[in-house]
Amino acid sequence: MLFSVLTATLLAAVGIQAYSDPESCTGACWAHDPSVIKRTSDGEWFRFNTGSEIGIWKASSLEGSWVYQGKAFPDGSSIDLDGNTDLWAPDVHKVGSKYIMYYSVSTSGSQTSAIGYATSSTMEYGSWTDHGSTGIASTSSKNYNAIDAALIETSDGDYYMNFGSFWGDIYQVAMNSGATKSSGSAYQIAYNGTGTHPLEGSYMYYRSGYYYLFFSSGICCGYDSDKPSAGEEYKIYVCRSTSVSGTFYDKSGTSCLKAGGTLVLASHGTVYGPGGQGILADDDYGTVMYYHYADTSVGLADSEYQFGWNTLTWSSGWPSV
């Protein structure tokens, strides 16, 4: 223990950031862009992943043991776009008495995309009803790509959807009172104009008067066949604002619209390319950031990504792992 404390102190002194390793995961721990939520009726945990028709996993705790249940959308989405049987980036919330799952329909490298939603009263396999589009969609005529949906409820009970990937990066739009349809025009809330504009996978979390905008930046996938140059792989950043719509700033005061972002988690040890994150608050675990990553001791293929999670600590209003 003393060695660990001394090591962390020395790393901090020379400007090297130290990260905690992911907490334990047992059972079926493959993950990609996970969404994690606890059922309010009995405390059972559910995890949903990108790919195919959105897989469902269950466990009695975050540690597991995670057990695969089946596909949320055995017949795919009713949205008539290419990719409607290979759904991406689930985001699940309880709104009122029902659970809503948002998902993305698209194909790799395309702006022809849409965000759909489905509802369930239990989240169990076989219980999800698809309702098609939320009204958030994109084509090549748009400045954004309508994927990677993430709902936020404000302190006043209003709903907003954050979304976007590359192109104009992260956008936001107001939602109706049921959080099922967009109710306004989308506007940009985070942008990095360098390179390929590599921001995506946003997630917003409200704490102590601030809205924290987490996002993934870098190359997400294909590490086994085309490993990025060091530092170009996925990593997780954050900015914050007292308003749900921004402007968002990082710890140094740089706007998130001007390539700002405070690093929260990057590759370390056997953890490579962490991203696709979400945040949850739990009475037992505290504030948890969950994500996927490649474990270099297991393999770098997308099919080998692992489910990671850590309890966040907060210092002067900023999160760390």
Side-chain angles (χ1 to χ4, degrees):
M1 179 65 179
L2 177 59
F3 176 79
S4 298
V5 172
L6 289 173
T7 300
T9 301
L10 288 170
L11 288 171
V14 297
I16 299 173
Q17 184 147 6
Y19 304 104
S20 298
D21 288 333
E23 297 291 348
S24 174
C25 179
T26 61
C29 291
W30 176 79
H32 196 167
D33 299 335
S35 180
V36 180
I37 183 171
K38 180 193 280 189
R39 186 161 59 194
T40 56
S41 62
D42 60 2
E44 192 80 1
W45 289 92
F46 285 74
R47 190 179 85 239
F48 304 86
N49 283 337
T50 274
S52 298
E53 293 86 13
I54 306 291
I56 305 171
W57 286 257
K58 283 176 61 178
S60 59
S61 71
L62 278 176
E63 294 90 345
S65 180
W66 290 97
V67 178
Y68 178 66
Q69 306 296 303
K71 300 173 180 179
F73 302 91
D75 300 318
S77 168
S78 59
I79 297 174
D80 187 18
L81 290 177
D82 289 345
N84 65 358
T85 59
D86 184 21
L87 307 176
W88 298 347
D91 180 50
V92 182
H93 297 264
K94 190 173 187 183
V95 177
S97 61
K98 65 180 180 294
Y99 295 92
I100 302 180
M101 182 194 301
Y102 306 98
Y103 61 85
S104 302
V105 178
S106 190
T107 56
S108 182
S110 173
Q111 265 184 290
T112 304
S113 310
I115 293 168
Y117 77 101
T119 56
S120 169
S121 59
T122 64
M123 298 189 287
E124 296 284 353
Y125 167 68
S127 71
W128 289 97
T129 299
D130 181 34
H131 300 282
S133 180
T134 60
I136 305 170
S138 61
T139 64
S140 58
S141 66
K142 297 286 189 180
N143 293 324
Y144 53 76
N145 191 16
I147 66 170
D148 290 0
L151 187 74
I152 177 69
E153 182 181 4
T154 70
S155 56
D156 296 323
D158 298 322
Y159 293 100
Y160 290 80
M161 186 71 77
N162 303 306
F163 66 94
S165 169
F166 289 68
W167 283 276
D169 290 334
I170 310 302
Y171 276 69
Q172 184 181 86
V173 65
M175 300 291 285
N176 65 8
S177 60
T180 57
K181 296 288 183 180
S182 60
S183 61
S185 298
Y187 41 87
Q188 192 179 54
I189 59 172
Y191 181 65
N192 186 334
T194 63
T196 56
H197 314 168
L199 306 189
E200 60 183 5
S202 66
Y203 196 95
M204 193 174 288
Y205 176 71
Y206 180 76
R207 180 183 187 273
S208 300
Y210 285 97
Y211 294 91
Y212 289 84
L213 178 64
F214 293 81
F215 54 89
S216 300
S217 178
I219 298 171
C220 73
C221 313
Y223 298 148
D224 58 328
S225 59
D226 189 14
K227 191 176 182 181
S229 299
E232 293 184 2
E233 74 275 12
Y234 244 16
K235 56 192 77 68
I236 300 169
Y237 290 88
V238 69
C239 288
R240 73 179 189 181
S241 173
T242 55
S243 168
V244 70
S245 299
T247 301
F248 294 88
Y249 295 93
D250 66 16
K251 192 175 182 179
S252 69
T254 302
S255 170
C256 230
L257 286 167
K258 297 181 178 179
T262 295
L263 187 61
V264 180
L265 184 62
S267 298
H268 63 284
T270 61
V271 173
Y272 185 79
Q277 74 294 322
I279 310 294
L280 62 87
D282 182 74
D283 290 342
D284 296 323
Y285 295 101
T287 307
V288 170
M289 182 173 76
Y290 56 86
Y291 51 92
H292 72 250
Y293 69 99
D295 184 334
T296 57
S297 68
V298 174
L300 295 177
D302 296 1
S303 61
E304 296 172 304
Y305 287 178
Q306 300 295 301
F307 173 57
W309 64 277
N310 296 90
T311 298
L312 293 176
T313 58
W314 299 85
S315 176
S316 301
W318 292 95
S320 61
V321 172

